[in-house]
Amino acid sequence: MSRLSKTPEQPIIPRIKYNTILNVLMRGYHVDKRPITSYRPIEIVFNVAPKAEGSALVRLGNTQVIAGVKMEVGQPYPDTPNEGAIIVNAEYIPAASPSFEPGPPDENAIELARVIDRAIRESKAIPLDKLCIVPGKKVWILWLDIYVLDHDGNLVDAAMLAAMAALSNTYIPYYEVLDPDTGAIKVDKLRKKEPLPLSKYVVITTIYKINHALVIDPTAEEESVASYRLSVAIDEDKRIVGLQKTGLGSMTEKEIDEIISLSLAKADELIGILKSVKSQSSS
Amino acid sequence: MLKNADGSAYVEFGNTKVIAAVYGPREVVPRHEELTDRAIIRCRYRMLSFSTSDRKSPAPSRREIELSKVIREALEPAILSHYYPRTAIDVFVEVLNADGGTRTAGITAAALAVADAGIPMVDLVAAVAVGKIDGVLVLDVNELEDMFGEADMPLAAMPGLNKITMLQLNGVLTPQEFKQALTLAMKGIKQIYELQKEALRRTYVEIGEQIV
């Protein structure tokens, strides 16, 4: 029975706290006094794990997520001989919250990884053909691993920011093709060849329905009383490159319309932040 | 469909063939999983090993784990689970043959199976995907169309209440295309809803005749 997806246990929140959260949100503010459609302060630290080919730590209020990229040489898939591959994994480490348990990734972690994987893949943010070393024989396999370090709500947005920041910070290790016929190559991971080509930034903005309000970036406490959330992945060209509804509630078409317009506006802001921290770090 | 299950249903969308079975409300094993104010819904989506062109390993894939959750969350808003505290409602979705849209066929079948089990619901749930192929939005994509298309957007709704219970997008849509896709999907869902109601009515007319 362990592989069944089951209704999660609802957190027990004292009624007085529950009412306070709803009252404050209905007045248009988060419990920490910012407007309901604004993010908490976002901090991005690059290269937190120097042995990784790219890494970044994102702080979103008290939420902390770390993402790292490892590049390995592997064989291409038979149907795409000229393309590398991306593999995304996510883990909620037990240190991040009293409700996270050690063990293999659960359905929430798998969902998070797959949502981020689809957003990167479908938007073609990473041109996979640029990860080809010897066509049909050797390609780069890009392992993107995301760890939630501290959970205070809105993990999807934070994880996507961390993933993008890590990718923008990734270097392809130095390599030489010794023999294109056999696919023999020499790799020196201590040297960098070139930055990983990144064709565009993609971000995810998740909008939470809490009581009658559409809320951005809730804390863990606020998030626990949400009826549903809709994660919207948006790229630099303002296209929708992924959607995922999560939670026990249901949405009206009108709400979805509002969520999409809100997401488009907020995505601009997040992409702006990614670009500005990147240019500061490289200057 | 199945004799032992409390409710079951079989649904075909073209070559996509899906069986859903429901057991419950029944005792929760292990007991610590029960909730004191409602039934828990447990769901497993699975593809039979021969349902795909390359044999699918019977071990649960990450995709199946995600879809089990997505299907459960698509059904939860429709089920009046507060009527059955401390119980479990188990939903099993088995894909016999996969040709695109297995999760949407699975949801459509699962909702029927829950209704067939006599579990009170606020509405049925019907589901369908909209795809984009060569820039054209199409309803209910098959596997080939999904593979070569630019987008696949599965949607589930309670058509009587106009409430959407599941929405995913795998691919790229402009905000305008998304709006059109949503309208198209809702139109398709209303058609499926009529077929669902008809199937339920037919079943109970037959049962009624047997009793008389």
Side-chain angles (χ1 to χ4, degrees):
Chain A
M1 289 305 215
S2 63
R3 272 317 187 180
L4 268 74
S5 167
K6 65 167 203 286
T7 311
E9 207 172 315
Q10 300 303 307
I12 297 166
I13 299 172
R15 174 122 331 248
I16 190 163
K17 192 177 246 177
Y18 179 79
N19 288 338
T20 309
I21 293 174
L22 292 193
N23 276 334
V24 175
L25 288 174
M26 291 324 286
R27 263 185 249 139
Y29 291 94
H30 281 280
V31 175
D32 54 20
K33 295 181 182 142
R34 70 202 142 98
I36 45 173
T37 54
S38 66
Y39 276 94
R40 289 168 285 181
I42 298 173
E43 196 188 330
I44 300 176
V45 187
F46 290 109
N47 209 23
V48 281
K51 285 211 172 160
E53 273 72 71
S55 62
L57 170 75
V58 166
R59 291 199 188 92
L60 181 58
N62 288 326
T63 288
Q64 293 190 66
V65 179
I66 191 169
V69 175
K70 286 305 291 176
M71 306 280 286
E72 276 178 7
V73 176
Q75 279 191 333
Y77 294 114
D79 53 338
T80 51
N82 301 318
E83 289 184 1
I86 312 176
I87 298 164
V88 183
N89 269 299
E91 207 178 302
Y92 292 5
I93 66 164
S97 157
S99 61
F100 296 168
E101 285 168 29
D106 67 353
E107 60 178 28
N108 298 307
I110 289 174
E111 185 181 35
L112 173 66
R114 288 177 57 86
V115 166
I116 287 174
D117 180 292
R118 289 197 284 262
I120 294 172
R121 199 174 296 277
E122 297 297 336
S123 62
K124 302 198 165 58
I126 298 170
L128 291 178
D129 53 325
K130 300 268 170 64
L131 298 182
C132 182
I133 303 170
V134 182
K137 294 203 169 69
K138 293 273 162 66
V139 296
W140 286 112
I141 313 280
L142 192 158
W143 295 85
L144 171 59
D145 294 311
I146 299 159
Y147 296 90
V148 174
L149 298 185
D150 211 350
H151 170 30
D152 193 22
N154 203 18
L155 295 177
V156 185
D157 297 14
M160 188 70 207
L161 280 174
M164 268 294 136
L167 289 170
S168 73
N169 180 240
T170 297
Y171 275 85
I172 296 179
Y174 180 83
Y175 67 89
E176 267 172 57
V177 178
L178 300 176
D179 183 357
D181 296 329
T182 58
I185 59 165
K186 192 179 103 183
V187 176
D188 182 3
K189 285 222 171 180
L190 296 175
R191 289 162 68 197
K192 295 168 176 176
K193 188 171 177 85
E194 57 191 356
L196 175 77
L198 193 65
S199 54
K200 64 181 85 163
Y201 283 111
V202 180
V203 292
I204 296 182
T205 51
T206 303
I207 316 288
Y208 294 72
K209 178 82 190 289
I210 304 177
N211 203 359
H212 297 294
L214 294 175
V215 178
I216 277 198
D217 192 29
T219 61
E221 218 167 57
E222 293 169 338
E223 186 179 280
S224 69
V225 297
S227 82
Y228 70 80
R229 59 187 192 227
L230 183 58
S231 295
V232 188
I234 292 170
D235 72 0
E236 276 184 59
D237 311 321
K238 293 185 182 295
R239 302 180 307 169
I240 305 168
V241 297
L243 286 168
Q244 184 94 346
K245 176 252 176 186
T246 316
L248 306 186
S250 57
M251 334 177 259
T252 63
E253 280 182 67
K254 191 169 155 275
E255 281 166 9
I256 295 177
D257 268 358
E258 286 173 38
I259 288 172
I260 299 288
S261 7
L262 188 52
S263 293
L264 284 165
K266 285 288 143 182
D268 249 10
E269 210 178 295
L270 292 183
I271 290 171
I273 290 172
L274 275 173
K275 282 183 173 166
S276 75
V277 289
K278 184 66 200 157
S279 65
Q280 277 166 29
S281 80
S282 39
S283 61
Chain B
M1 251 320 280
L2 305 175
K3 190 177 84 53
N4 274 311
D6 296 312
S8 59
Y10 172 72
V11 166
E12 279 184 11
F13 279 47
N15 274 329
T16 293
K17 299 164 199 243
V18 176
I19 284 186
V22 167
Y23 282 85
R26 64 177 174 183
E27 206 174 337
V28 186
V29 183
R31 222 170 127 183
H32 67 84
E33 285 184 359
E34 66 183 31
L35 297 179
T36 47
D37 63 335
R38 53 166 292 167
I40 58 168
I41 319 285
R42 296 188 292 199
C43 177
R44 188 183 72 168
Y45 160 95
R46 195 168 70 138
M47 295 174 106
L48 301 192
S49 55
F50 47 77
S51 64
T52 46
S53 34
D54 291 333
R55 178 172 187 269
K56 155 135 203 332
S57 151
S61 65
R62 288 160 63 89
R63 178 177 173 277
E64 286 170 312
I65 293 169
E66 186 202 341
L67 290 192
S68 299
K69 177 175 188 281
V70 165
I71 294 174
R72 173 176 61 74
E73 289 179 341
L75 297 172
E76 295 243 21
I79 300 173
L80 288 160
S81 53
H82 290 277
Y83 284 16
Y84 304 104
R86 297 178 193 280
T87 65
I89 296 167
D90 292 334
V91 181
F92 302 105
V93 175
E94 310 283 341
V95 178
L96 308 188
N97 199 60
D99 186 23
T102 56
R103 86 196 65 183
T104 47
I107 291 166
T108 305
L112 282 170
V114 173
D116 186 42
I119 295 165
M121 302 166 84
V122 293
D123 197 0
L124 285 168
V125 184
V128 76
V130 169
K132 186 170 92 172
I133 304 158
D134 260 341
V136 182
L137 294 176
V138 294
L139 193 64
D140 193 22
V141 282
N142 67 22
E143 190 177 305
L144 206 68
E145 292 164 333
D146 184 19
M147 251 165 70
F148 294 101
E150 298 104 70
D152 174 34
M153 186 177 95
L155 188 99
M158 299 186 282
L161 302 172
N162 267 316
K163 289 271 208 153
I164 291 146
T165 66
M166 184 267 288
L167 172 60
Q168 286 184 293
L169 168 67
N170 187 11
V172 179
L173 292 176
T174 64
Q176 291 79 5
E177 285 170 336
F178 169 74
K179 262 191 183 166
Q180 293 164 8
L182 189 61
T183 315
L184 181 59
M186 287 305 276
K187 222 170 105 187
I189 280 174
K190 297 233 155 98
Q191 286 174 24
I192 297 163
Y193 186 47
E194 292 309 315
L195 295 172
Q196 281 179 312
K197 287 193 289 190
E198 200 187 302
L200 279 175
R201 253 183 238 124
R202 205 169 47 230
T203 311
Y204 291 107
V205 166
E206 275 168 27
I207 293 174
E209 281 164 0
Q210 284 163 15
I211 294 170
V212 176

